[in-house]
Amino acid sequence: MNDYYQPIEVMHKLFEKDYENKVCVECKSPMPSYVSINNAILLCDQCAERHMKLGFNVSYVRHLASEWDPYLFSYLERGGNSRFIRLSKTYGLDDIPIEQKYKTRIVEYYRLLVSLLFYNIYS
């Protein structure tokens, strides 16, 4: 028995779960191909490149075309683009450059919240 999700299965589940997951959370390009795991958001190629420069602790980026174990996939299910977009709108983060936005206290808190939700599932 394979304990990993295949890329097509991951994309189907993420896109079905949240309509906003069908576009990059940053630039709204269709069909994102990367995920920032610790921010639980989906990104296009160009925005993923910018996120990679932020460092793993700020944005741990992984290609969707990877196999996903249930542990990491469960982390993604706790977030999603819609959730992050609501946070951005609520706290006025939309116009802040990526390099600053993901280092704000509210986004740091969001990452902590997503990880705690994730941790509670596996503890």
Side-chain angles (χ1 to χ4, degrees), residues 28-96:
K28 307 302 181 223
S29 293
M31 299 303 292
S33 53
Y34 286 87
V35 173
S36 171
I37 295 172
N38 53 341
N39 291 294
I41 53 174
L42 284 87
L43 304 161
C44 70
D45 295 355
Q46 289 179 334
C47 292
E49 248 181 69
R50 291 177 69 192
H51 271 255
M52 287 178 202
K53 293 177 183 174
L54 299 175
F56 287 109
N57 60 327
V58 175
S59 189
Y60 177 50
V61 178
R62 185 171 181 183
H63 201 282
L64 268 173
S66 308
E67 285 187 335
W68 292 82
D69 62 38
Y71 183 80
L72 285 179
F73 183 73
S74 178
Y75 197 97
L76 298 178
E77 288 184 310
R78 301 295 152 232
N81 287 1
S82 287
R83 191 176 206 184
F84 191 83
I85 289 167
R86 279 194 312 273
L87 174 94
S88 290
K89 287 183 192 290
T90 301
Y91 292 96
L93 303 175
D94 289 340
D95 296 329
I96 297 176

